[in-house]
Amino acid sequence: MSDSILPPQRTLKGMRLVWRHAPLVADDPATVWRALLQARGLHERSAFFAPRLADLPDPFAMRDMATAATRLAAALSQGEPIHVFGDFDCDGVTGTAILLEALRAAGGRVSCSIPHRADDGHGIGEVAVEQAAAHGARLGISVDTGTTCFAACARARALGMEMIVTDHHLPETTLPEALAVLNPARTDCGFAERVLCGTGVAFFLLMAVWRRLTERNRRPAFDLRQLLDRVALATVADVMELVGVNRILVHHGLARLNHEPSIGCRALMAVSRVNQPVDVEDIAFHLAPRINAAGRLAHGEQAMRLLASEDEAEAERLAIELDQANRQRRRIEAEVFKQAEAKLDGDDVLAVYDGDWHAGVVGLVAGRLARKHGRPAAVGFVDRDGEHVRLSLRGRPGFHIGELLQSCAAHMRGFGGHAGAGGGAVPLQSWSAFRNAFAQAVARQAAEAQDHLLQPVDGVVGLAAMQYGLAARLARFAPFGQGNRPCCWLLSDVQVLTRKVLRGGVVRLLLGDGARTLEAVLFQDARLKAYVQPGRRVSLLGRLQLDTWRTRQAVQFVIEDAVDVGEAHDAA
Ligand SMILES: [Mn+2]
């Protein structure tokens, strides 16, 4: 095997290989593990491998927390009416649910409202503020929203309702007039490396309030750890980085989900038919979509009620409703995707709209188009006013949707977004001008995107290293997800001995190097499937996984990409 050099050519998926840490080339599992720990600055007993709740940062280190916690503790003590302003996506409804459950358990008089996606849109609605004030709320708490809700906060103030904003979205140059703005994204905050989702921020507010109440000898009997299953759900659903504080929260949240879930999560897992142990992928692909289906097709409140439910029969009924909404969402999404592809008809400018498309699925369809074609997509529907196209945009690695929208600003009425996603409105008469600007911006970014398509490699390893003991050790790096990908190994120049296509198109391979063999599996990518032909010599990229389908101590190599070693090798 060659020295520490990675193959210079791009992979089959067009990625350029780079070392994640230091170069690591090894053929035996013990050396791989030792070198990996060293490369990451870890040792066997590092706290990283045993995340502890005791290591969560002090909530009072968050800007405005002392003010917020003192005020909220007073409201609880005095029985003042409190109103929670949520949002309709998974993070927003989950954060609302945990605030509702915990504050009520602490004796609070708490009401809440979740906006409707199509009727109200994101953010604290002024009407919702007026209704809450009319019902006597003196204190409002927003979750996963509020940082840019200037009008709603001003309205609350005018009506004598103090507002605690809890959020994680980027602020504008000024903050709204509120009693407290708890947001790690504030330039003067930065709490916990800014990785928390909205529900995570709300959880830290609860921790701080529990501390305040304890200081006054009024510590509630309610154990906040009961909420961790839902904190994990929201953190994964919002695709937050699973590092630092989120690693601790999700590690313990998954344990809760698997061993002592809340009534709502138990019902949700039952209808989702997920296998134990539930992991990050199960949340991302099965649990979160069902929670989001409520806000997409019906009303987010349904999902919020499920997640705050204390009644098994109610939870079961709500979970079944969400499951049905999710099936309906899938049908509508598939239909709109088909229509969008037909409308595009091979056009490489992925910007398309229709008067009849469902507001709840256009973002999902944009995501599917972007993944399929490898570049940003904009999908919209015609607004009720009949004058605007309301667009959802989704990107790909290497592209930046927020900057793309900036380039199209002249043709838009309001927009917002970050690197991966965004949205905005385009006046119907400006559509073709928008489309041109969009096409140019995508082309400009595509020219630069190539430089960003990097695939980090942890090691170039021999088949002999890919053993059960190493796979078991590597599992200690979990929970895997955004910001914490499993180790990526390059198996250099191995031979495909056998190739079998299973049900569902999954391809199973047996790899060999003359001395040893290794089972491998390939889930998607048609190009990769065609590439791994029996007898061929290949260099494969992938992760080493414990094979949980069988009881024996087995491993499998999950193939994610390949480097073409060339015809010269095939002939050899
Ligand atoms: Mn969020």
Side-chain angles (χ1 to χ4, degrees):
M1 191 180 299
S2 71
D3 195 24
S4 67
I5 297 156
L6 293 170
Q9 74 268 39
R10 290 202 179 258
T11 68
L12 252 61
K13 289 184 179 173
M15 308 295 276
R16 192 158 62 77
L17 303 181
V18 291
W19 291 108
R20 193 192 305 263
H21 297 284
L24 190 170
V25 181
D27 279 332
D28 72 286
T31 307
V32 170
W33 180 246
R34 231 180 5 252
L36 186 65
L37 290 185
Q38 200 184 5
R40 300 205 177 186
L42 294 168
H43 52 86
E44 286 288 348
R45 304 169 79 89
S46 287
F48 178 86
F49 291 124
R52 296 188 326 152
L53 290 170
D55 291 332
L56 288 176
D58 181 353
F60 289 96
M62 198 186 302
R63 192 90 184 183
D64 281 2
M65 185 61 91
T67 312
T70 303
R71 180 66 185 85
L72 183 49
L76 290 171
S77 301
Q78 289 153 23
E80 272 182 279
I82 302 165
H83 189 85
V84 178
F85 297 92
D87 198 8
F88 48 74
D89 72 2
C90 186
D91 189 18
V93 298
T94 309
T96 306
I98 68 164
L99 282 177
L100 212 63
E101 180 173 333
L103 295 178
R104 279 180 179 166
R109 292 170 59 193
V110 197
S111 57
C112 72
S113 52
I114 307 271
H116 187 266
R117 181 186 287 266
D119 297 344
D120 309 310
H122 283 288
I124 313 170
E126 281 182 75
V127 175
V129 167
E130 283 158 12
Q131 284 172 351
H135 283 92
R138 309 316 309 147
L139 180 63
I141 310 174
S142 73
V143 201
D144 191 34
T145 184
T147 303
T148 57
C149 297
F150 300 98
C153 287
R155 189 82 192 111
R157 196 184 184 89
L159 295 170
M161 177 166 45
E162 289 188 291
M163 190 70 93
I164 296 172
V165 168
T166 81
D167 197 1
H168 69 129
H169 292 94
L170 280 180
E172 291 179 14
T173 45
T174 56
L175 294 173
E177 283 188 80
L179 177 72
V181 179
L182 303 175
N183 185 343
R186 283 174 62 163
T187 47
D188 57 354
C189 185
F191 182 79
E193 313 295 330
R194 301 191 163 98
V195 295
L196 288 175
C197 66
T199 299
V201 176
F203 183 73
F204 272 86
L205 170 62
L206 289 170
M207 281 171 64
V209 173
W210 259 232
R211 281 254 298 271
R212 277 283 182 269
L213 292 169
T214 305
E215 286 160 15
R216 297 174 188 169
N217 293 316
R218 299 186 56 139
R219 185 182 182 85
F222 185 84
D223 184 348
L224 293 177
R225 286 179 294 189
Q226 292 172 57
L227 305 174
L228 286 169
D229 56 351
R230 282 152 288 171
V231 176
L233 172 69
T235 303
V236 173
D238 241 25
V239 205
M240 306 314 292
E241 300 225 321
L242 301 188
V243 300
V245 59
N246 284 344
R247 179 176 172 81
I248 300 174
L249 293 171
V250 173
H251 173 90
H252 288 277
L254 285 172
R256 278 266 158 194
L257 211 44
N258 282 298
H259 302 299
E260 37 194 339
S262 58
I263 288 168
C265 283
R266 189 195 306 273
L268 180 63
M269 287 190 290
V271 296
S272 308
R273 283 175 284 276
V274 288
N275 293 308
Q276 298 268 337
V278 171
D279 63 12
V280 169
E281 289 194 2
D282 293 318
I283 293 179
F285 297 118
H286 301 290
L287 305 186
R290 284 173 170 82
I291 293 296
N292 277 320
R296 292 186 187 285
L297 293 190
H299 200 295
E301 206 180 276
Q302 226 178 353
M304 192 282 299
R305 288 216 312 276
L306 169 68
L307 293 172
S309 181
E310 290 171 44
D311 179 283
E312 283 182 26
E314 180 201 37
E316 199 182 316
R317 181 176 57 76
L318 287 166
I320 290 169
E321 282 175 25
L322 291 190
D323 191 49
Q324 285 163 351
N326 193 48
R327 281 169 214 274
Q328 197 189 345
R329 183 273 301 169
R330 270 202 295 247
R331 275 197 301 276
I332 297 172
E333 182 189 334
E335 179 57 30
V336 171
F337 179 72
K338 212 170 77 188
Q339 291 178 15
E341 287 260 274
K343 257 184 205 275
L344 286 168
D345 191 26
D347 190 338
D348 59 1
V349 183
L350 304 179
V352 64
Y353 74 90
D354 189 282
D356 290 331
W357 288 347
H358 195 292
V361 303
V362 289
L364 299 171
V365 171
R368 275 172 74 164
L369 286 173
R371 277 194 302 279
K372 181 172 174 190
H373 300 281
R375 57 184 183 280
V379 179
F381 60 97
V382 179
D383 203 357
R384 275 196 202 139
D385 65 11
E387 290 170 14
H388 293 87
V389 178
R390 289 257 296 270
L391 278 180
S392 277
L393 292 91
R394 294 292 182 276
R396 296 299 299 153
F399 292 88
H400 196 293
I401 293 296
E403 288 170 12
L404 211 138
L405 284 165
Q406 289 285 354
S407 313
C408 305
H411 316 291
M412 301 188 77
R413 286 286 154 68
F415 60 89
H418 50 82
V426 178
L428 274 174
Q429 76 266 19
S430 309
W431 178 256
S432 65
F434 163 81
R435 209 174 155 281
N436 286 337
F438 175 79
Q440 280 173 22
V442 170
R444 214 163 35 235
Q445 289 193 358
E448 296 160 15
Q450 285 278 300
D451 299 333
H452 299 281
L453 299 175
L454 302 177
Q455 171 64 60
V457 176
D458 288 88
V460 178
V461 294
L463 285 190
M466 301 282 95
Q467 293 182 19
Y468 183 85
L470 180 63
R473 285 194 170 93
L474 293 173
R476 296 173 65 195
F477 281 95
F480 298 116
Q482 191 75 12
N484 184 37
R485 296 291 174 202
C487 285
C488 175
W489 306 110
L490 174 62
L491 289 179
S492 192
D493 196 13
V494 291
Q495 189 161 27
V496 180
L497 300 177
T498 63
R499 178 185 190 277
K500 209 162 55 184
V501 182
L502 306 183
R503 224 154 49 100
V506 175
V507 174
R508 265 201 178 279
L509 305 172
L510 190 66
L511 306 173
D513 65 0
R516 286 180 169 268
T517 61
L518 177 66
E519 284 188 30
V521 64
L522 178 50
F523 289 104
Q524 274 151 4
D525 209 284
R527 226 176 122 195
L528 270 174
K529 285 179 184 174
Y531 176 66
V532 287
Q533 293 301 328
R536 191 163 200 172
R537 300 198 71 88
V538 291
S539 287
L540 300 171
L541 289 148
R543 57 200 151 91
L544 183 64
Q545 207 178 50
L546 293 167
D547 187 349
T548 50
W549 285 99
R550 282 163 262 184
T551 46
R552 69 194 170 97
Q553 294 200 336
V555 292
Q556 63 182 4
F557 190 76
V558 183
I559 300 168
E560 273 149 12
D561 204 346
V563 184
D564 197 343
V565 290
E567 294 305 309
H569 284 274
D570 287 343

